[in-house]
Amino acid sequence: MPKEKFDILESTCIPLPIENIDTDQIIPARFLSLTSREGFGEYLFRDWRFDKSGNKIEDCVFNNPRYSGRILVTGKNFGSGSSREHAVWAIAGYGFRAVVSSFFADIFRNNCLNNGILPVVVKEDYLQNLLKTIRDNPSTMARIDLDKQLFTVLPDGEGISFEINPYKKECLLNGLDDIDYLLSIQDAIKAYELRKTLGK
Amino acid sequence: MKPETLFDKIWDSHVVRSIEGGPDVLYIDQHFIHEVTSPQAFDGLRARGIDVFRPSMTLATADHNIPTVNQNMPIRDELSRRQVETLTRNCNEFGITCYGLNDPHNGIVHVIGPELGYTLPGMTIVCGDSHTSTHGAFGTVAFGIGTSEVEMVLATQCILQPKPKKMRIRVEGELGRGITAKDLILYIISQLSTSGATGYFVEYAGSAVESLSMEGRMTVCNMSIEMGARGGLIAPDDTTFEYLRKIPALSNRPDFYALVKKWSRLRSDPDAVFDRELTFDAGKIKPMITYGTNPGMGISIDESIPALEEISDETKASFIKSLNYMGFTPGMKLAGQPVDYVFLGSCTNGRIEDLRAFAGFVRGRKKAPGVTVLIVPGSKKVEKQAIDEGLADILKDAGFVLRQPGCSSCLAMNEDKIPPGKYAVSTSNRNFEGRQGPGARTLLASPLTAAAAAVTGRITDPGELMQD
């Protein structure tokens, strides 16, 4: 089934300079009971955004009106822990389209790519400068060009390149879906099963 | 032939095809599902108008969301009930075996897979749950996946997956008295950090690993994900085959001994090359406990929390945030700190051996006043065994209650929540903020350290209370 394409994204950014943010923070387990993919955005970082009584926690960056945007910039090892794809659904549901960090956890990165969210890996010192730039000037715009694999701080930053698996890049650029691909090679899968049954 | 690692042998023999510059199409031998990460995958199948490709290769259980008391009653929380019912309905519709609530085979997915003989050496195994690495204890390539990938497996029995790098971790020597598999893995994670093995698949080896029981090996492999590893595995040996032989469904198979012969060949070649190799000395490992909000923040019970000067600049903010959450200060000692809750259970330490260790420790002692203790077996089978072996009576005499199986307080999706600000010594796998309930403060430790906390009401080295 076709998905939303990703080509060029220009947006302000939200800075979250914390390391090792696990998926339990991104979406606490008690909100995992929904059986659809929708409706998780409002629970994103729920316990960092709201206190026990449901009041906004003022010093949380998500509650700071100076910051907004579709790019989340965050400390290293983002998305560790639980495999819950709900974390990515929450990030997408909140309105993000890309996450920038110096390091992502494996399962989380796969989950992002399977949901049209682009994980952009940059070097640690670049990340620290980027976080500072955004905090000093919340209206800082960044541009992500997936085709060219370039991340640029606008208007005049030097574009830095980021890595992405060529297959996954194709999928994101064209809104392709892994399951469509797997279904299209079902004969090869059946042939594999036959080889295995016959002991190769 | 080029020498290969065990991981290479299993992975490569399951590649249907490799995409140029992309991931491998990996064939999956055994797929497990549970109520939380599967409903959206079934919806996806319906939206595409397709069936489950190989329904007999998927097994379902309800575990994450279920209560651990009065399981014969309807689930009180409406969303939880609906999720568990949705699993049953989906399994009925698509022809998948489901060991739902009250089924004698029900239990935590990573406990029942091995105990019922679904987990076999040489397999590829996935589940929408990061602790799927548990099954690696049997010499399998087992790892957690997201819901989109659950849908891939349901639709095609395959997933697209980039091949990880390989790491071997040897632990040589003997573990000291009262030092468990949990201490061993918490020690390794404390050395590597919570992201130290990201991008790798780990093979655990060395005499200390080989000497572990299957339950202990499962505890070790289970927590591979807590240092970021894609998974962890241990080459099958006589300990593995003896465990499997005791499962009637397997030993009754006419080809069982032929299989054992085949499985015996599942090991890394002597000259196999790993991308990274580490060796640890088992003799250095002491009872471990975590002090922070990720599993890499662990120390031995007699150590102090690191001082601020020991922490690198870019990590300082996270370290301070973590200690503030825990109500601890840099440099402080944990031994002797009061404990409010103790949780014994989870896919890490909810097996019969864990219950035996806990019961053996508290036998003849009493639960400390003021401590609330949750003892949750990993499966119906473990629960029954604990009752049949008399462990439930020992626990009762010491003032404890054996609950019914489920994931329970490990992620607190059900009612088994630790209240805000309270300290819990837990045998589970994650000490993340709010993991055991909003505001809960988790200290990860072994079943013995949990037992020591349960009878003293304080963080206590279990060795101090063990008789010779």
Side-chain angles (χ1 to χ4, degrees):
Chain A
M1 290 190 294
K3 300 195 160 172
E4 196 185 341
K5 293 179 187 176
F6 193 117
D7 43 23
I8 288 170
L9 174 67
E10 281 187 10
S11 169
T12 49
C13 309
I14 298 187
L16 195 59
I18 304 284
E19 296 183 348
N20 300 320
I21 294 177
D22 57 79
T23 53
D24 271 81
Q25 307 316 310
I26 301 172
I27 178 105
R30 63 185 189 281
F31 303 117
L32 302 184
S33 301
L34 298 176
T35 53
S36 77
R37 283 174 193 248
E38 278 80 48
F40 290 101
E42 62 178 297
Y43 305 122
L44 179 75
F45 287 108
R46 172 74 199 198
D47 294 337
W48 290 13
R49 287 162 57 206
F50 299 97
D51 67 15
K52 277 178 295 207
S53 329
N55 300 314
K56 277 188 181 177
I57 296 171
E58 288 305 329
D59 62 3
C60 172
V61 70
F62 295 100
N63 294 328
N64 185 336
R66 295 173 71 217
Y67 298 107
S68 65
R70 306 199 71 193
I71 302 171
L72 179 64
V73 182
T74 178
K76 77 172 174 206
N77 193 31
F78 187 69
S80 58
S82 159
S83 62
R84 59 187 70 163
E85 199 162 312
H86 312 65
V88 176
W89 300 334
I91 285 170
Y94 194 81
F96 291 111
R97 209 63 224 286
V99 187
V100 180
S101 182
S102 56
F103 196 84
F104 289 96
D106 285 332
I107 305 178
F108 178 81
R109 198 190 48 231
N110 281 355
N111 287 342
C112 279
L113 292 166
N114 285 335
N115 286 276
I117 300 287
L118 182 64
V120 177
V121 180
V122 297
K123 290 216 167 72
E124 181 66 35
D125 52 349
Y126 185 89
L127 177 71
Q128 294 303 329
N129 282 331
L130 178 63
L131 284 164
K132 187 173 181 306
T133 306
I134 302 164
R135 276 185 293 174
D136 290 349
N137 179 9
S139 61
T140 303
M141 292 283 288
R143 174 186 165 96
I144 299 172
D145 183 332
L146 175 58
D147 189 34
K148 295 200 176 105
Q149 296 179 224
L150 279 180
F151 180 89
T152 315
V153 175
L154 299 177
D156 51 8
E158 189 188 340
I160 57 144
S161 66
F162 58 87
E163 294 293 317
I164 181 168
N165 178 298
Y167 167 84
K168 279 293 177 191
K169 178 178 167 178
E170 259 332 275
C171 288
L172 283 179
L173 283 172
N174 300 309
L176 301 176
D177 166 303
D178 283 342
I179 298 176
D180 286 339
Y181 169 75
L182 287 172
L183 288 170
S184 77
I185 63 158
Q186 214 156 40
D187 286 344
I189 297 171
K190 285 179 182 162
Y192 170 87
E193 288 180 325
L194 189 64
R195 281 202 307 277
K196 205 166 162 108
T197 316
L198 299 174
K200 306 244 160 82
Chain B
M1 264 191 357
K2 192 171 165 259
E4 287 181 310
T5 69
L6 171 58
F7 171 76
D8 287 320
K9 291 179 188 183
I10 301 174
W11 181 283
D12 293 349
S13 69
H14 286 81
V15 173
V16 173
R17 73 162 58 158
S18 296
I19 299 173
E20 180 105 20
D24 288 336
V25 176
L26 192 72
Y27 192 83
I28 301 303
D29 295 321
Q30 180 64 52
H31 183 209
F32 295 108
I33 58 172
H34 61 77
E35 75 274 25
V36 177
T37 57
S38 67
Q40 295 86 353
F42 284 108
D43 285 347
L45 297 184
R46 281 189 206 94
R48 289 168 201 274
I50 55 175
D51 267 332
V52 172
F53 181 54
R54 297 286 182 242
S56 67
M57 297 173 90
T58 293
L59 177 71
T61 183
D63 56 4
H64 278 61
N65 222 334
I66 58 175
T68 55
V69 289
N70 301 322
Q71 288 188 341
N72 56 330
M73 308 281 281
I75 300 176
R76 279 191 298 188
D77 181 74
E78 199 200 318
L79 283 174
S80 299
R81 191 177 66 242
R82 205 185 298 160
Q83 207 169 42
V84 171
E85 287 169 357
T86 302
L87 178 72
T88 309
R89 206 173 48 244
N90 283 332
C91 288
N92 287 340
E93 183 183 335
F94 288 94
I96 290 167
T97 303
C98 178
Y99 297 141
L101 200 54
N102 295 311
D103 188 294
H105 294 326
N106 176 256
I108 303 175
V109 59
H110 310 309
V111 176
I112 68 165
E115 78 183 8
L116 298 174
Y118 284 85
T119 302
L120 299 177
M123 278 183 161
T124 48
I125 299 178
V126 294
C127 173
D129 189 288
S130 59
H131 293 109
T132 308
S133 56
T134 312
H135 305 263
F138 293 79
T140 70
V141 168
F143 54 93
I145 56 175
T147 299
S148 295
E149 293 166 318
V150 171
E151 190 180 337
M152 288 180 210
V153 181
L154 291 173
T156 67
Q157 206 55 38
C158 290
I159 52 169
L160 291 167
Q161 204 71 193
K163 190 177 179 182
K165 291 183 282 186
K166 290 150 293 188
M167 183 190 296
R168 178 159 57 191
I169 298 178
R170 294 176 191 272
V171 188
E172 302 288 0
E174 262 181 68
L175 291 170
R177 196 172 59 107
I179 311 299
T180 67
K182 184 62 165 292
D183 300 302
L184 185 153
I185 189 64
L186 282 174
Y187 175 79
I188 292 174
I189 301 168
S190 75
Q191 300 299 302
L192 266 85
S193 90
T194 186
S195 61
T198 303
Y200 290 90
F201 212 98
V202 176
E203 178 174 346
Y204 301 96
S207 52
V209 172
E210 286 161 20
S211 71
L212 294 173
S213 67
M214 286 317 293
E215 281 85 352
R217 294 179 189 189
M218 284 190 256
T219 300
V220 170
C221 290
N222 172 277
M223 291 194 73
S224 303
I225 181 73
E226 307 311 338
M227 49 188 177
R230 205 67 188 81
L233 82 174
I234 296 170
D237 59 10
D238 288 343
T239 305
T240 321
F241 308 140
E242 189 52 23
Y243 179 98
L244 294 170
R245 195 181 58 78
K246 288 186 185 146
I247 301 171
L250 293 178
S251 54
N252 290 340
R253 283 176 65 157
D255 61 344
F256 181 72
Y257 287 96
L259 284 172
V260 168
K261 210 172 153 195
K262 194 174 110 187
W263 295 334
S264 310
R265 293 196 292 268
L266 290 169
R267 37 194 55 248
S268 291
D269 296 327
D271 301 324
V273 178
F274 290 81
D275 299 288
R276 198 173 167 202
E277 293 230 43
L278 295 167
T279 303
F280 296 106
D281 175 0
K284 285 196 179 149
I285 304 175
K286 294 181 185 171
M288 295 289 296
I289 193 154
T290 63
Y291 60 87
T293 55
N294 74 57
M297 301 173 86
I299 50 176
S300 67
I301 290 186
D302 59 4
E303 281 179 312
S304 303
I305 295 174
L308 206 50
E309 304 85 73
E310 297 171 55
I311 306 297
S312 70
D313 278 349
E314 70 264 21
T315 305
K316 266 196 178 107
S318 308
F319 178 77
I320 293 167
K321 181 177 190 301
S322 182
L323 290 196
N324 283 344
Y325 179 86
M326 292 300 292
F328 294 147
T329 49
M332 99 183 239
K333 265 201 172 321
L334 285 183
Q337 288 296 314
V339 169
D340 307 297
Y341 281 73
V342 169
F343 170 55
L344 176 73
S346 85
C347 59
T348 312
N349 282 124
R351 297 185 179 78
I352 190 65
E353 214 172 70
D354 303 311
L355 267 67
R356 282 183 197 139
F358 189 100
F361 192 94
V362 303
R363 178 180 217 146
R365 296 191 167 104
K366 288 282 178 208
K367 183 181 86 63
V371 182
T372 306
V373 180
L374 298 166
I375 301 178
V376 185
S379 69
K380 290 298 276 186
K381 189 162 174 271
V382 171
E383 179 191 16
K384 182 173 184 304
Q385 211 174 343
I387 294 167
D388 292 349
E389 287 183 13
L391 304 181
D393 290 333
I394 296 171
L395 293 171
K396 196 174 158 204
D397 290 345
F400 302 101
V401 179
L402 180 67
R403 298 170 79 93
Q404 291 172 302
C407 296
S408 177
S409 187
C410 174
L411 83 168
M413 273 194 81
N414 69 353
E415 305 91 61
D416 303 346
K417 291 179 174 49
I418 310 298
K422 298 293 182 189
Y423 289 99
V425 171
S426 294
T427 65
S428 48
N429 39 58
R430 288 185 174 139
N431 50 355
F432 297 151
E433 283 185 27
R435 172 78 178 182
Q436 295 196 276
R441 292 160 162 171
T442 302
L443 304 113
L444 301 176
S446 77
L448 289 178
T449 302
V455 297
T456 61
R458 295 181 178 277
I459 295 172
T460 306
D461 181 339
E464 289 171 13
L465 298 176
M466 284 168 84
Q467 289 105 8
D468 286 313

